[in-house]
Amino acid sequence: RVPYEFAGEGLLVHTWRHVTRRIQLCFILHRAAPDSPNSVAMHERFLELALGENLQLMLEEIDKHMDLGLAQMRGICMAAAPARNSG
């Protein structure tokens, strides 16, 4: 975040703060999911691809990660649905 603040670019700072809040929420939900994969290994794989030369591989990894997160969120919502309907 610091480089955006030094650049004096308000839109970048606002966008980064917005994205940061969403990332934090995703981490909280990810850690709470009972079937969470090994996030350390996933992040190391992403970092390796982000620092590499193949943008397409990195984008595919992001897609896989997002699909996994969406599946986890669906699972959390489905698990909560019966509890919500019974109370």
Side-chain angles (χ1 to χ4, degrees):
R1 176 166 112 183
V2 174
Y4 300 132
E5 291 173 349
F6 280 125
E9 183 58 50
L11 180 59
L12 288 174
V13 172
H14 173 76
T15 301
W16 178 248
R17 288 181 181 153
H18 180 74
V19 169
T20 300
R21 285 191 297 267
R22 289 177 177 232
I23 291 170
Q24 289 170 340
L25 176 62
C26 289
F27 278 137
I28 290 167
L29 293 172
H30 176 74
R31 295 179 92 187
D35 59 345
S36 289
N38 182 347
S39 60
V40 172
M42 289 175 66
H43 293 131
E44 286 175 353
R45 167 86 174 135
F46 174 75
L47 183 59
E48 175 186 324
L49 292 172
L51 295 173
E53 298 292 324
N54 192 327
L55 177 61
Q56 186 60 39
L57 280 178
M58 185 188 78
L59 294 175
E60 289 170 8
E61 187 70 18
I62 291 171
D63 286 342
K64 283 193 277 187
H65 189 81
M66 297 302 289
D67 289 343
L68 179 62
L70 181 58
Q72 284 183 324
M73 287 305 304
R74 283 186 179 142
I76 291 169
C77 291
M78 295 301 285
R84 184 179 51 215
N85 291 335
S86 66

